[in-house]
Amino acid sequence: MNFLFNEEQTSLGETVGQVLADFAALTAPDPSRDSEAEVWGALAELGLFSLLVPEEHDGVGLAFVDLAPSIEALGSGLASPLIASTLVATEAIKRLGSSDQRAKLLPEIAIGETAIAIASAELGRGKDPFFAECRLLDGKLSGKKIAVAGADVAQELLVIARTESAPVLVLVPTDAAGVTITAHSDIDPSAGLCRVVFDNVAVAAGQQLARASIDALDTLVDLGATVHSGMAMGIAEVMLRRSVAFASQREQFGKPIGSFQAIKHRCADLAVAVEAGKATSHYAFWACSENSEDRSGAASAAKAYCGEIGCNACNDAIQVHGGMGFTWELGLHRYLRRAQVIEHAVGSRAWHYDRVVTEALAAREVENAAHRDAA
Amino acid sequence: MDFNYTDEERKFRFELRDWLASALPAGWGDTVFEPEDEEERYLFRRDWDKKLSSGGWSGINWPVEYGGRGATLVERGIFAEEMARAKAPESLNIIGHNLAGTTILHHGTQAQKDRFLPPIIANDEIWCQGFSEPNAGSDLASVRTKAVRHGDKYIVNGQKIWTSYAQYSQWCFALVRTDVDAPKHKGLSFLLIDMKSPGILIRPLRQISGESEFNETFFEDVEVPVENLVGEENDGWRIAMTTLAYERGPEDCLGRQVRFKQEMEKLLEVCSAEPTANGVLSDDPIVRQKLGRSIVEIEAMRLVALKSFSRIHAGDERGPDASVIKLYWSHAAQRMNEAALDILGPTAVLAEGDEDAKASGRFQTSYLQSKAFSIYSGSSEIQRNIIGERMLGLPR
């Protein structure tokens, strides 16, 4: 057992961070999507999208956990959530796709030609990412999804829908007849959140991912939750770094404000939260990678906890920066906005804490049964 | 990153699991529990410590030459998990193993190692810690207990406070002032004091929980042979920092996490049995939010400790990350104890001895005990200063 990333995993993350740092618009005070296509191209050139693709499909064949530092870098760099959703979809297709689907999609993904937006959230059922009113009946998909990041520039949509009897994951090209995509007016205009309406969209049997099963949904939610926990920690880390840097140089009462315990202790608490959040997130990446028994519990723990830490870190950073903290021009608002997008993607904190309890009670049952058998 | 276990490690786990099943009384944790009386509980834990050492499960991470197993960090993690699973009793000699032993391993002479380490691992000698004083709490370096050298002896005079287990201990390691003229950090020494020495008076202090685990310890002309000085005279602060790094470090956290996990399991058990108007407590969405967050934090405690283990294993020095660990577990555990009472509703106020108390009142006792977590081993405010200044580099 070893709970540290190896050099390859770490340097991959650093490289992703460096590539993103070349695009100042990503973290500039004015939220924009101006550099989105260029960033995508640079990351594709780096080979980011080929990393999770198995070698047989022209990829590098890395494990999910190998990307954890890179995902954090995507969070820190405020990269488009479509990048992360494409990586989640890659792993989902790898695990749940038929051999035809894998052979067709994975090589395209590897070279950065196919971006995949994940359509899960709907109106009318609060926080539950499993819930879908979108119906797939007689090969036709109808319904409405909201907050689909990057749907307007993606090539494919991975949609959580349901047949009459079961949940189902379907892949729908964004240019299919009956698909209408409109941009939301939203809290983070750089995230590219869209409303997607399906009006009797024809879906062939080959577009369904895996057998219709709750396990497939669990897999998608666990992967998505884990990746979002990583991005939240990327944000939290930037907030810590910037708070410490500001508190070290900003002077009041003739001293750097970081020498005052009111500020110093806030920063220390933030550092502790970053350490604890990263530990849960990193473990979730490993649990997803290995399909360990506690995968869902670990993923939900990470999403709930890191989402909370990411949002709180932004609050702390703004407070430490004082009057500057809530100006537009300093740009801290960009992280605050993105932290909220992350918090509410793939199920909010409340839903994931609830799922942690479900998983813990189920694990207790298993343990008790084993205890009874032994007795 | 890899959490998989090797065959060897799995073998270690099952060997320990089997041993625990045979060593603990039948029905342990279900129908048989620790004695409630403090004195009886002390005797019970003393016996349990003896059992651990005779079974070869004491001080597993110590080098083989001093009776340990030279256990790897993975095996330590497994050990903690299995102790939790078996609801094993707490060791009485944590201070001996974690603090006295490790400090002597780092800084002791060969003669000190030979004299003191075997009885610690055998749990024949229990240790207490003589650091805090009435006027040296957070400002530990201002200790006033004085040790004056006379020939081959130090004569110690002064008072220590919050000395946990002093009443059960055979030995005490103490931070004493050997040079009153030097700057406060430069005039301290680290002494090993035989608690049977004439001139030691122990007065129990009653804690918030009503128990008397800690004490005031008075030293009046207590003679300590100079061979019981650890390190150089006046170099005691540096030695004490090693002790504190272990007191606040991942070993300590992992051991405690075992207890907190047991508490969490107990809380889940109560919540899944306790009826409400429409089901049981664990069906209540508000209860579930509180439970969920605490489950995550107790697990994060384990992960934070394992991460620190991995860093140490990879060759990193022990440093301010010990303060991160201490600060994290103390507040996370307090939050769990708060949540437990919050969840229990009207029975939250019923304590040990009441027939309607849940889980024999253990949540109430733990709640009261948990108030100490953010104060001892360096208060949270001190830990935040250390993290802020030494880890984040903020100005003093």
mmCIF file of all heavy atoms in Angstrom, chain A residues 1-5 261 264-265 269 275 282 286 290 305 308 350 354 357-358 367, chain B residues 1-4 85 265 288-289 293 297 303 307 310-311 328 384-385 389 395-396:
data_model
loop_
_atom_site.group_PDB
_atom_site.id
_atom_site.type_symbol
_atom_site.label_atom_id
_atom_site.label_comp_id
_atom_site.label_asym_id
_atom_site.label_seq_id
_atom_site.Cartn_x
_atom_site.Cartn_y
_atom_site.Cartn_z
ATOM 1 N N MET A 1 0.830 -1.195 0.000
ATOM 2 C CA MET A 1 0.000 0.000 0.000
ATOM 3 C C MET A 1 0.872 1.255 0.000
ATOM 4 O O MET A 1 1.866 1.318 0.694
ATOM 5 C CB MET A 1 -0.896 0.018 1.240
ATOM 6 C CG MET A 1 -1.992 1.038 1.129
ATOM 7 S SD MET A 1 -2.415 1.772 2.708
ATOM 8 C CE MET A 1 -0.948 2.704 3.063
ATOM 9 N N ASN A 2 0.485 2.199 -0.777
ATOM 10 C CA ASN A 2 1.200 3.467 -0.814
ATOM 11 C C ASN A 2 0.208 4.552 -1.204
ATOM 12 O O ASN A 2 -0.522 4.411 -2.172
ATOM 13 C CB ASN A 2 2.333 3.380 -1.847
ATOM 14 C CG ASN A 2 3.059 4.700 -1.987
ATOM 15 O OD1 ASN A 2 2.952 5.575 -1.142
ATOM 16 N ND2 ASN A 2 3.788 4.836 -3.076
ATOM 17 N N PHE A 3 0.170 5.621 -0.427
ATOM 18 C CA PHE A 3 -0.846 6.641 -0.626
ATOM 19 C C PHE A 3 -0.234 7.889 -1.254
ATOM 20 O O PHE A 3 -0.660 8.991 -0.976
ATOM 21 C CB PHE A 3 -1.501 6.964 0.719
ATOM 22 C CG PHE A 3 -2.859 7.622 0.610
ATOM 23 C CD1 PHE A 3 -3.642 7.788 1.727
ATOM 24 C CD2 PHE A 3 -3.358 8.058 -0.608
ATOM 25 C CE1 PHE A 3 -4.892 8.391 1.649
ATOM 26 C CE2 PHE A 3 -4.595 8.662 -0.709
ATOM 27 C CZ PHE A 3 -5.368 8.829 0.432
ATOM 28 N N LEU A 4 0.793 7.722 -2.069
ATOM 29 C CA LEU A 4 1.362 8.878 -2.752
ATOM 30 C C LEU A 4 1.297 8.632 -4.255
ATOM 31 O O LEU A 4 1.347 7.492 -4.705
ATOM 32 C CB LEU A 4 2.820 9.085 -2.334
ATOM 33 C CG LEU A 4 3.074 9.397 -0.861
ATOM 34 C CD1 LEU A 4 4.567 9.535 -0.610
ATOM 35 C CD2 LEU A 4 2.335 10.649 -0.415
ATOM 36 N N PHE A 5 1.213 9.705 -5.011
ATOM 37 C CA PHE A 5 1.254 9.556 -6.464
ATOM 38 C C PHE A 5 2.696 9.317 -6.897
ATOM 39 O O PHE A 5 3.635 9.812 -6.273
ATOM 40 C CB PHE A 5 0.710 10.819 -7.135
ATOM 41 C CG PHE A 5 -0.757 11.001 -6.912
ATOM 42 C CD1 PHE A 5 -1.243 12.040 -6.127
ATOM 43 C CD2 PHE A 5 -1.669 10.117 -7.471
ATOM 44 C CE1 PHE A 5 -2.590 12.193 -5.903
ATOM 45 C CE2 PHE A 5 -3.023 10.259 -7.257
ATOM 46 C CZ PHE A 5 -3.484 11.300 -6.469
ATOM 47 N N GLN A 261 -3.381 36.504 14.147
ATOM 48 C CA GLN A 261 -3.921 35.148 14.268
ATOM 49 C C GLN A 261 -5.290 34.997 13.611
ATOM 50 O O GLN A 261 -5.625 33.921 13.130
ATOM 51 C CB GLN A 261 -3.976 34.739 15.735
ATOM 52 C CG GLN A 261 -2.572 34.498 16.288
ATOM 53 C CD GLN A 261 -2.578 33.974 17.706
ATOM 54 O OE1 GLN A 261 -3.485 34.287 18.478
ATOM 55 N NE2 GLN A 261 -1.575 33.198 18.045
ATOM 56 N N LYS A 264 -4.120 34.275 10.151
ATOM 57 C CA LYS A 264 -3.235 33.096 10.136
ATOM 58 C C LYS A 264 -4.020 31.814 10.410
ATOM 59 O O LYS A 264 -3.856 30.800 9.734
ATOM 60 C CB LYS A 264 -2.150 33.295 11.200
ATOM 61 C CG LYS A 264 -1.093 32.219 11.234
ATOM 62 C CD LYS A 264 -0.047 32.513 12.296
ATOM 63 C CE LYS A 264 0.829 33.694 11.911
ATOM 64 N NZ LYS A 264 1.758 34.088 12.985
ATOM 65 N N HIS A 265 -4.897 31.884 11.406
ATOM 66 C CA HIS A 265 -5.636 30.688 11.788
ATOM 67 C C HIS A 265 -6.659 30.291 10.732
ATOM 68 O O HIS A 265 -6.911 29.114 10.505
ATOM 69 C CB HIS A 265 -6.292 30.893 13.155
ATOM 70 C CG HIS A 265 -5.285 30.893 14.273
ATOM 71 N ND1 HIS A 265 -5.615 30.908 15.591
ATOM 72 C CD2 HIS A 265 -3.923 30.875 14.235
ATOM 73 C CE1 HIS A 265 -4.511 30.894 16.337
ATOM 74 N NE2 HIS A 265 -3.470 30.881 15.529
ATOM 75 N N ASP A 269 -6.622 26.644 9.017
ATOM 76 C CA ASP A 269 -7.795 25.780 8.913
ATOM 77 C C ASP A 269 -8.059 25.394 7.463
ATOM 78 O O ASP A 269 -8.449 24.256 7.164
ATOM 79 C CB ASP A 269 -9.029 26.477 9.499
ATOM 80 C CG ASP A 269 -9.029 26.457 11.029
ATOM 81 O OD1 ASP A 269 -8.350 25.586 11.598
ATOM 82 O OD2 ASP A 269 -9.700 27.311 11.634
ATOM 83 N N GLU A 275 -5.911 19.351 2.992
ATOM 84 C CA GLU A 275 -5.260 18.049 3.209
ATOM 85 C C GLU A 275 -6.314 16.939 3.354
ATOM 86 O O GLU A 275 -6.200 15.874 2.736
ATOM 87 C CB GLU A 275 -4.388 18.146 4.468
ATOM 88 C CG GLU A 275 -3.610 16.905 4.811
ATOM 89 C CD GLU A 275 -2.474 16.604 3.843
ATOM 90 O OE1 GLU A 275 -2.073 17.512 3.092
ATOM 91 O OE2 GLU A 275 -2.014 15.454 3.823
ATOM 92 N N HIS A 282 -8.440 11.573 -3.379
ATOM 93 C CA HIS A 282 -7.453 10.638 -3.929
ATOM 94 C C HIS A 282 -7.881 9.195 -3.683
ATOM 95 O O HIS A 282 -7.729 8.328 -4.545
ATOM 96 C CB HIS A 282 -6.077 10.892 -3.312
ATOM 97 C CG HIS A 282 -5.519 12.230 -3.677
ATOM 98 N ND1 HIS A 282 -4.421 12.780 -3.071
ATOM 99 C CD2 HIS A 282 -5.928 13.143 -4.601
ATOM 100 C CE1 HIS A 282 -4.172 13.968 -3.605
ATOM 101 N NE2 HIS A 282 -5.084 14.210 -4.516
ATOM 102 N N TRP A 286 -8.743 6.124 -6.443
ATOM 103 C CA TRP A 286 -8.202 4.759 -6.393
ATOM 104 C C TRP A 286 -9.354 3.738 -6.353
ATOM 105 O O TRP A 286 -9.328 2.728 -7.063
ATOM 106 C CB TRP A 286 -7.291 4.593 -5.167
ATOM 107 C CG TRP A 286 -6.695 3.229 -5.122
ATOM 108 C CD1 TRP A 286 -5.598 2.775 -5.793
ATOM 109 C CD2 TRP A 286 -7.208 2.107 -4.402
ATOM 110 N NE1 TRP A 286 -5.391 1.453 -5.521
ATOM 111 C CE2 TRP A 286 -6.359 1.016 -4.676
ATOM 112 C CE3 TRP A 286 -8.301 1.916 -3.550
ATOM 113 C CZ2 TRP A 286 -6.572 -0.250 -4.119
ATOM 114 C CZ3 TRP A 286 -8.514 0.663 -3.009
ATOM 115 C CH2 TRP A 286 -7.654 -0.403 -3.287
ATOM 116 N N GLU A 290 -9.985 0.769 -9.073
ATOM 117 C CA GLU A 290 -9.924 -0.650 -8.712
ATOM 118 C C GLU A 290 -11.304 -1.285 -8.633
ATOM 119 O O GLU A 290 -11.394 -2.482 -8.373
ATOM 120 C CB GLU A 290 -9.260 -0.795 -7.342
ATOM 121 C CG GLU A 290 -7.823 -0.358 -7.306
ATOM 122 C CD GLU A 290 -6.890 -1.367 -7.952
ATOM 123 O OE1 GLU A 290 -7.047 -2.566 -7.670
ATOM 124 O OE2 GLU A 290 -6.029 -0.950 -8.746
ATOM 125 N N TYR A 305 -17.765 16.013 0.482
ATOM 126 C CA TYR A 305 -16.808 16.699 1.351
ATOM 127 C C TYR A 305 -15.984 17.729 0.571
ATOM 128 O O TYR A 305 -15.804 18.858 1.009
ATOM 129 C CB TYR A 305 -15.896 15.651 1.991
ATOM 130 C CG TYR A 305 -15.263 16.091 3.291
ATOM 131 C CD1 TYR A 305 -16.003 16.750 4.267
ATOM 132 C CD2 TYR A 305 -13.930 15.808 3.561
ATOM 133 C CE1 TYR A 305 -15.418 17.127 5.470
ATOM 134 C CE2 TYR A 305 -13.343 16.183 4.768
ATOM 135 C CZ TYR A 305 -14.092 16.838 5.715
ATOM 136 O OH TYR A 305 -13.512 17.212 6.907
ATOM 137 N N GLU A 308 -17.946 20.771 -0.552
ATOM 138 C CA GLU A 308 -18.100 21.688 0.586
ATOM 139 C C GLU A 308 -16.799 22.467 0.822
ATOM 140 O O GLU A 308 -16.818 23.699 1.011
ATOM 141 C CB GLU A 308 -18.449 20.833 1.811
ATOM 142 C CG GLU A 308 -18.708 21.591 3.062
ATOM 143 C CD GLU A 308 -19.126 20.659 4.220
ATOM 144 O OE1 GLU A 308 -19.659 19.552 3.991
ATOM 145 O OE2 GLU A 308 -18.915 21.065 5.377
ATOM 146 N N ALA A 350 -25.804 17.289 -0.252
ATOM 147 C CA ALA A 350 -26.809 16.621 0.579
ATOM 148 C C ALA A 350 -27.112 15.220 0.047
ATOM 149 O O ALA A 350 -27.216 14.254 0.806
ATOM 150 C CB ALA A 350 -28.086 17.458 0.631
ATOM 151 N N ASP A 354 -26.108 11.666 1.998
ATOM 152 C CA ASP A 354 -27.158 10.679 2.197
ATOM 153 C C ASP A 354 -26.720 9.310 1.664
ATOM 154 O O ASP A 354 -26.906 8.276 2.306
ATOM 155 C CB ASP A 354 -28.427 11.156 1.485
ATOM 156 C CG ASP A 354 -29.643 10.383 1.946
ATOM 157 O OD1 ASP A 354 -30.282 10.792 2.937
ATOM 158 O OD2 ASP A 354 -29.942 9.350 1.324
ATOM 159 N N VAL A 357 -24.407 7.414 3.893
ATOM 160 C CA VAL A 357 -25.095 6.697 4.974
ATOM 161 C C VAL A 357 -25.683 5.388 4.440
ATOM 162 O O VAL A 357 -25.553 4.336 5.072
ATOM 163 C CB VAL A 357 -26.197 7.578 5.612
ATOM 164 C CG1 VAL A 357 -26.956 6.799 6.677
ATOM 165 C CG2 VAL A 357 -25.590 8.839 6.207
ATOM 166 N N THR A 358 -26.299 5.444 3.277
ATOM 167 C CA THR A 358 -26.847 4.226 2.673
ATOM 168 C C THR A 358 -25.747 3.174 2.528
ATOM 169 O O THR A 358 -25.935 2.003 2.889
ATOM 170 C CB THR A 358 -27.428 4.543 1.271
ATOM 171 O OG1 THR A 358 -28.370 5.604 1.420
ATOM 172 C CG2 THR A 358 -28.096 3.337 0.667
ATOM 173 N N GLU A 367 -21.307 -6.895 7.223
ATOM 174 C CA GLU A 367 -20.414 -7.241 8.337
ATOM 175 C C GLU A 367 -21.170 -8.047 9.402
ATOM 176 O O GLU A 367 -20.678 -9.057 9.889
ATOM 177 C CB GLU A 367 -19.848 -5.943 8.926
ATOM 178 C CG GLU A 367 -18.861 -6.124 10.040
ATOM 179 C CD GLU A 367 -17.478 -6.547 9.552
ATOM 180 O OE1 GLU A 367 -17.240 -6.578 8.326
ATOM 181 O OE2 GLU A 367 -16.643 -6.856 10.399
ATOM 182 N N MET B 1 0.046 5.254 -6.324
ATOM 183 C CA MET B 1 -0.961 5.056 -5.293
ATOM 184 C C MET B 1 -1.572 3.668 -5.417
ATOM 185 O O MET B 1 -2.007 3.280 -6.483
ATOM 186 C CB MET B 1 -2.052 6.112 -5.454
ATOM 187 C CG MET B 1 -3.145 5.907 -4.458
ATOM 188 S SD MET B 1 -4.293 7.252 -4.383
ATOM 189 C CE MET B 1 -3.260 8.657 -4.471
ATOM 190 N N ASP B 2 -1.554 2.965 -4.309
ATOM 191 C CA ASP B 2 -2.055 1.601 -4.358
ATOM 192 C C ASP B 2 -2.483 1.163 -2.961
ATOM 193 O O ASP B 2 -1.668 1.148 -2.040
ATOM 194 C CB ASP B 2 -0.956 0.670 -4.891
ATOM 195 C CG ASP B 2 -1.488 -0.719 -5.165
ATOM 196 O OD1 ASP B 2 -2.718 -0.923 -4.984
ATOM 197 O OD2 ASP B 2 -0.700 -1.579 -5.553
ATOM 198 N N PHE B 3 -3.755 0.832 -2.815
ATOM 199 C CA PHE B 3 -4.255 0.371 -1.521
ATOM 200 C C PHE B 3 -4.415 -1.145 -1.479
ATOM 201 O O PHE B 3 -4.984 -1.680 -0.546
ATOM 202 C CB PHE B 3 -5.599 1.028 -1.194
ATOM 203 C CG PHE B 3 -5.464 2.432 -0.716
ATOM 204 C CD1 PHE B 3 -5.438 3.481 -1.618
ATOM 205 C CD2 PHE B 3 -5.322 2.714 0.632
ATOM 206 C CE1 PHE B 3 -5.298 4.790 -1.178
ATOM 207 C CE2 PHE B 3 -5.179 4.012 1.078
ATOM 208 C CZ PHE B 3 -5.169 5.054 0.174
ATOM 209 N N ASN B 4 -3.945 -1.815 -2.507
ATOM 210 C CA ASN B 4 -4.067 -3.272 -2.497
ATOM 211 C C ASN B 4 -3.107 -3.882 -1.492
ATOM 212 O O ASN B 4 -2.051 -3.332 -1.206
ATOM 213 C CB ASN B 4 -3.774 -3.839 -3.894
ATOM 214 C CG ASN B 4 -4.964 -3.652 -4.815
ATOM 215 O OD1 ASN B 4 -6.097 -3.875 -4.420
ATOM 216 N ND2 ASN B 4 -4.696 -3.226 -6.032
ATOM 217 N N ARG B 85 -12.190 -3.327 14.374
ATOM 218 C CA ARG B 85 -13.162 -4.359 14.014
ATOM 219 C C ARG B 85 -13.498 -5.222 15.230
ATOM 220 O O ARG B 85 -14.647 -5.592 15.450
ATOM 221 C CB ARG B 85 -12.558 -5.212 12.897
ATOM 222 C CG ARG B 85 -13.526 -6.128 12.229
ATOM 223 C CD ARG B 85 -12.866 -6.840 11.058
ATOM 224 N NE ARG B 85 -13.768 -7.824 10.518
ATOM 225 C CZ ARG B 85 -13.898 -9.041 11.022
ATOM 226 N NH1 ARG B 85 -13.168 -9.426 12.039
ATOM 227 N NH2 ARG B 85 -14.766 -9.890 10.487
ATOM 228 N N GLU B 265 -19.757 3.403 14.605
ATOM 229 C CA GLU B 265 -20.503 2.167 14.364
ATOM 230 C C GLU B 265 -21.616 2.009 15.391
ATOM 231 O O GLU B 265 -22.727 1.595 15.061
ATOM 232 C CB GLU B 265 -19.563 0.956 14.432
ATOM 233 C CG GLU B 265 -18.572 0.877 13.271
ATOM 234 C CD GLU B 265 -19.254 0.578 11.944
ATOM 235 O OE1 GLU B 265 -20.221 -0.203 11.942
ATOM 236 O OE2 GLU B 265 -18.830 1.137 10.909
ATOM 237 N N ARG B 288 -29.553 11.791 8.712
ATOM 238 C CA ARG B 288 -28.640 11.211 7.718
ATOM 239 C C ARG B 288 -27.582 12.210 7.268
ATOM 240 O O ARG B 288 -26.437 11.836 7.008
ATOM 241 C CB ARG B 288 -29.440 10.688 6.513
ATOM 242 C CG ARG B 288 -30.259 9.454 6.858
ATOM 243 C CD ARG B 288 -31.195 9.080 5.730
ATOM 244 N NE ARG B 288 -30.498 8.523 4.587
ATOM 245 C CZ ARG B 288 -30.219 7.225 4.435
ATOM 246 N NH1 ARG B 288 -30.546 6.380 5.389
ATOM 247 N NH2 ARG B 288 -29.607 6.791 3.364
ATOM 248 N N GLN B 289 -27.935 13.471 7.168
ATOM 249 C CA GLN B 289 -26.938 14.477 6.802
ATOM 250 C C GLN B 289 -25.829 14.556 7.850
ATOM 251 O O GLN B 289 -24.653 14.616 7.531
ATOM 252 C CB GLN B 289 -27.596 15.859 6.648
ATOM 253 C CG GLN B 289 -28.469 15.988 5.409
ATOM 254 C CD GLN B 289 -27.676 15.775 4.125
ATOM 255 O OE1 GLN B 289 -26.708 16.452 3.861
ATOM 256 N NE2 GLN B 289 -28.091 14.812 3.322
ATOM 257 N N ARG B 293 -21.877 13.218 7.176
ATOM 258 C CA ARG B 293 -20.700 14.069 7.283
ATOM 259 C C ARG B 293 -19.684 13.490 8.270
ATOM 260 O O ARG B 293 -18.479 13.495 8.020
ATOM 261 C CB ARG B 293 -21.115 15.477 7.710
ATOM 262 C CG ARG B 293 -20.039 16.488 7.392
ATOM 263 C CD ARG B 293 -20.534 17.900 7.569
ATOM 264 N NE ARG B 293 -19.536 18.820 7.090
ATOM 265 C CZ ARG B 293 -18.400 19.079 7.724
ATOM 266 N NH1 ARG B 293 -18.142 18.470 8.848
ATOM 267 N NH2 ARG B 293 -17.531 19.919 7.210
ATOM 268 N N GLU B 297 -15.798 12.239 7.773
ATOM 269 C CA GLU B 297 -14.665 12.807 8.513
ATOM 270 C C GLU B 297 -13.869 11.751 9.281
ATOM 271 O O GLU B 297 -12.638 11.849 9.371
ATOM 272 C CB GLU B 297 -15.149 13.917 9.451
ATOM 273 C CG GLU B 297 -15.608 15.134 8.661
ATOM 274 C CD GLU B 297 -15.615 16.414 9.462
ATOM 275 O OE1 GLU B 297 -16.062 16.394 10.633
ATOM 276 O OE2 GLU B 297 -15.187 17.437 8.920
ATOM 277 N N LEU B 303 -7.419 8.341 6.375
ATOM 278 C CA LEU B 303 -6.704 8.595 5.119
ATOM 279 C C LEU B 303 -5.604 9.636 5.304
ATOM 280 O O LEU B 303 -4.511 9.501 4.741
ATOM 281 C CB LEU B 303 -7.701 9.038 4.039
ATOM 282 C CG LEU B 303 -8.743 7.987 3.651
ATOM 283 C CD1 LEU B 303 -9.787 8.581 2.714
ATOM 284 C CD2 LEU B 303 -8.089 6.768 3.009
ATOM 285 N N LYS B 307 -1.735 8.934 4.608
ATOM 286 C CA LYS B 307 -0.987 9.778 3.669
ATOM 287 C C LYS B 307 0.308 10.260 4.333
ATOM 288 O O LYS B 307 1.374 10.253 3.712
ATOM 289 C CB LYS B 307 -1.852 10.971 3.254
ATOM 290 C CG LYS B 307 -1.314 11.669 2.043
ATOM 291 C CD LYS B 307 -2.393 12.460 1.353
ATOM 292 C CE LYS B 307 -2.550 11.956 -0.049
ATOM 293 N NZ LYS B 307 -3.293 12.780 -0.936
ATOM 294 N N SER B 310 2.763 7.519 4.458
ATOM 295 C CA SER B 310 3.399 7.311 3.152
ATOM 296 C C SER B 310 4.518 8.317 2.931
ATOM 297 O O SER B 310 5.557 7.978 2.377
ATOM 298 C CB SER B 310 2.374 7.421 2.016
ATOM 299 O OG SER B 310 1.458 6.350 2.093
ATOM 300 N N ARG B 311 4.292 9.553 3.368
ATOM 301 C CA ARG B 311 5.336 10.563 3.196
ATOM 302 C C ARG B 311 6.560 10.228 4.036
ATOM 303 O O ARG B 311 7.692 10.351 3.578
ATOM 304 C CB ARG B 311 4.815 11.943 3.628
ATOM 305 C CG ARG B 311 3.871 12.553 2.639
ATOM 306 C CD ARG B 311 3.736 14.058 2.922
ATOM 307 N NE ARG B 311 2.514 14.521 2.319
ATOM 308 C CZ ARG B 311 1.412 14.865 2.991
ATOM 309 N NH1 ARG B 311 1.419 14.826 4.314
ATOM 310 N NH2 ARG B 311 0.345 15.248 2.357
ATOM 311 N N TYR B 328 -6.875 18.267 12.751
ATOM 312 C CA TYR B 328 -7.991 17.652 12.033
ATOM 313 C C TYR B 328 -8.754 16.664 12.905
ATOM 314 O O TYR B 328 -9.969 16.774 13.048
ATOM 315 C CB TYR B 328 -7.515 16.957 10.751
ATOM 316 C CG TYR B 328 -8.703 16.441 9.960
ATOM 317 C CD1 TYR B 328 -9.547 17.347 9.333
ATOM 318 C CD2 TYR B 328 -9.023 15.097 9.909
ATOM 319 C CE1 TYR B 328 -10.675 16.918 8.656
ATOM 320 C CE2 TYR B 328 -10.150 14.655 9.228
ATOM 321 C CZ TYR B 328 -10.967 15.571 8.603
ATOM 322 O OH TYR B 328 -12.092 15.153 7.945
ATOM 323 N N ARG B 384 -2.495 25.850 15.002
ATOM 324 C CA ARG B 384 -2.729 26.769 13.873
ATOM 325 C C ARG B 384 -1.550 27.723 13.697
ATOM 326 O O ARG B 384 -1.200 28.071 12.571
ATOM 327 C CB ARG B 384 -4.020 27.560 14.088
ATOM 328 C CG ARG B 384 -5.266 26.692 13.988
ATOM 329 C CD ARG B 384 -6.543 27.533 14.078
ATOM 330 N NE ARG B 384 -7.712 26.686 14.002
ATOM 331 C CZ ARG B 384 -8.541 26.443 15.017
ATOM 332 N NH1 ARG B 384 -8.341 27.009 16.194
ATOM 333 N NH2 ARG B 384 -9.564 25.638 14.867
ATOM 334 N N ASN B 385 -0.940 28.135 14.806
ATOM 335 C CA ASN B 385 0.273 28.965 14.679
ATOM 336 C C ASN B 385 1.374 28.187 13.972
ATOM 337 O O ASN B 385 2.051 28.715 13.082
ATOM 338 C CB ASN B 385 0.789 29.393 16.065
ATOM 339 C CG ASN B 385 -0.012 30.545 16.644
ATOM 340 O OD1 ASN B 385 -0.803 31.178 15.943
ATOM 341 N ND2 ASN B 385 0.188 30.813 17.913
ATOM 342 N N GLU B 389 2.788 29.359 10.424
ATOM 343 C CA GLU B 389 4.157 29.885 10.320
ATOM 344 C C GLU B 389 5.114 28.904 9.680
ATOM 345 O O GLU B 389 5.892 29.265 8.791
ATOM 346 C CB GLU B 389 4.657 30.291 11.719
ATOM 347 C CG GLU B 389 3.959 31.555 12.217
ATOM 348 C CD GLU B 389 4.005 31.726 13.728
ATOM 349 O OE1 GLU B 389 4.872 31.088 14.378
ATOM 350 O OE2 GLU B 389 3.166 32.489 14.256
ATOM 351 N N PRO B 395 4.060 35.284 8.199
ATOM 352 C CA PRO B 395 4.948 35.984 9.142
ATOM 353 C C PRO B 395 4.512 35.794 10.592
ATOM 354 O O PRO B 395 3.321 35.602 10.863
ATOM 355 C CB PRO B 395 4.832 37.449 8.722
ATOM 356 C CG PRO B 395 3.629 37.548 7.866
ATOM 357 C CD PRO B 395 3.367 36.206 7.290
ATOM 358 N N ARG B 396 5.477 35.850 11.508
ATOM 359 C CA ARG B 396 5.178 35.704 12.938
ATOM 360 C C ARG B 396 4.553 36.975 13.494
ATOM 361 O O ARG B 396 4.771 38.039 12.997
ATOM 362 C CB ARG B 396 6.459 35.412 13.710
ATOM 363 C CG ARG B 396 7.005 34.059 13.400
ATOM 364 C CD ARG B 396 8.304 33.851 14.130
ATOM 365 N NE ARG B 396 8.065 33.641 15.546
ATOM 366 C CZ ARG B 396 7.810 32.461 16.105
ATOM 367 N NH1 ARG B 396 7.740 31.383 15.351
ATOM 368 N NH2 ARG B 396 7.620 32.339 17.392
#
